[in-house]
Amino acid sequence: MIENNKISIEERKIRDAFQARDWNEIKSNDSWAVFKIMSEFVGGFEKLAKIGPCVSIFGSARTKPDNPYYKIAEEIAAKLVRHGYGVITGGGPGIMEAGNKGAFEQGGKSVGINIVLPFEQSSNIYIDPDKLISFDYFFVRKVMFIKYSQGFVVMPGGMGTLDELFEAITLIQTEKIGRFPIVLVGKSYWQGLLNWIEEVVLGQERNISPDDMRLINLVDTPAEAVKVIDDFYSRYLLQPNF
């Protein structure tokens, strides 16, 4: 019954996209959407501007607390806040929960940037309610991740994690944001993807440049992950100062 309901909802969305509408109906719907989008941007800017230098931790919502990657993400967040950084996560379960938990248990600052979904995503208990922000629009949420992060730690994850990873890489590659450090955690998880990018995307098709590969750091341990970020900012004589 649930599956049939899911199919009917999906079918309704597909059919709805093909329905004819007059200009006034389109204009009215889009105008109200603009106001909603603006309100999400303003709310996000107001809360995130106060937290200071931050590192975003991306990863799967499906990772369980007994998974080694959950423990690694928790330790990375704990080390980051001890080094003076705030932590930004997607605010949900799994790796996101681990990031907020690690920061919370060290008394550090962390924010949850939650997305409203019909499944999977509910906020975790380690976020101060004042620092939980919920969005309806993925693109607004991604702007918040990028605009207020001075580094990106990417744990194993699915489609959403890959989307966030390549969004960050693309904006750095195109010089829309600074060359902030990107750290992939889990060599056994990420190495196959990096091999394909290097061999096919770079080597065979030449769709990227060799310098693009140098945007990514691949590590296995929390100490290595945080060291990448510390070393990057030490070159600029910068460090967080909460």
Side-chain angles (χ1 to χ4, degrees):
M1 182 66 182
I2 294 175
E3 186 66 22
N4 289 337
N5 185 52
K6 180 181 177 183
I7 292 172
S8 67
I9 291 172
E10 291 174 353
E11 183 175 334
R12 187 160 60 250
K13 290 179 179 179
I14 293 168
R15 292 184 179 281
D16 185 62
F18 276 78
Q19 286 183 359
R21 292 180 176 84
D22 62 38
W23 169 244
N24 288 329
E25 183 183 0
I26 295 172
K27 184 170 66 172
S28 176
N29 291 339
D30 289 351
S31 296
W32 283 113
V34 167
F35 288 117
K36 172 63 174 173
I37 292 165
M38 287 174 59
S39 71
E40 290 198 352
F41 273 120
V42 171
F45 291 159
E46 286 182 347
K47 289 191 175 182
L48 286 163
K50 302 172 184 176
I51 193 173
C54 288
V55 174
S56 282
I57 298 178
F58 300 137
S60 176
R62 306 182 187 192
T63 304
K64 303 302 182 185
D66 60 354
N67 187 302
Y69 287 123
Y70 185 104
K71 305 296 184 184
I72 291 171
E74 187 179 340
E75 189 173 342
I76 289 171
K79 285 181 177 292
L80 286 169
V81 299
R82 288 200 297 269
H83 289 217
Y85 294 95
V87 169
I88 300 175
T89 80
I95 293 297
M96 297 172 280
E97 177 183 287
N100 291 124
K101 181 181 178 183
F104 173 82
E105 292 186 343
Q106 293 296 314
K109 295 182 180 180
S110 73
V111 173
I113 304 179
N114 198 30
I115 185 73
V116 177
L117 295 176
F119 60 93
E120 190 176 279
Q121 185 89 344
S122 58
S123 60
N124 65 71
I125 64 172
Y126 298 101
I127 308 169
D128 184 326
D130 291 336
K131 294 184 173 62
L132 174 65
I133 315 167
S134 293
F135 296 98
D136 284 318
Y137 296 97
F138 265 112
F139 68 89
V140 178
R141 181 176 182 246
K142 289 201 290 183
V143 168
M144 299 302 154
F145 275 129
I146 300 297
K147 180 175 176 61
Y148 292 101
S149 295
Q150 282 72 52
F152 305 94
V153 172
V154 189
M155 303 295 300
M159 298 300 187
T161 302
L162 292 170
D163 178 46
E164 291 157 348
L165 166 62
F166 284 106
E167 175 88 1
I169 293 173
T170 299
L171 292 173
I172 293 172
Q173 179 204 46
T174 55
E175 299 183 1
K176 294 297 184 180
I177 63 173
R179 198 182 177 94
F180 298 123
I182 297 174
V183 185
L184 302 187
V185 181
K187 291 180 182 179
S188 63
Y189 191 87
W190 294 110
Q191 191 63 67
L193 173 64
L194 295 181
N195 289 345
W196 173 78
I197 292 173
E198 188 164 15
E199 293 169 9
V200 178
V201 182
L202 172 62
Q204 292 181 23
E205 299 298 331
R206 302 184 186 277
N207 287 328
I208 61 174
S209 69
D211 190 53
D212 294 329
M213 297 299 298
R214 290 188 278 273
L215 297 175
I216 303 168
N217 302 272
L218 182 61
V219 305
D220 263 331
T221 68
E224 291 172 323
V226 176
K227 186 176 186 297
V228 169
I229 294 169
D230 282 343
D231 288 352
F232 176 85
Y233 284 106
S234 69
R235 296 200 298 268
Y236 297 92
L237 302 179
L238 293 171
Q239 61 182 26
N241 184 25
F242 290 159

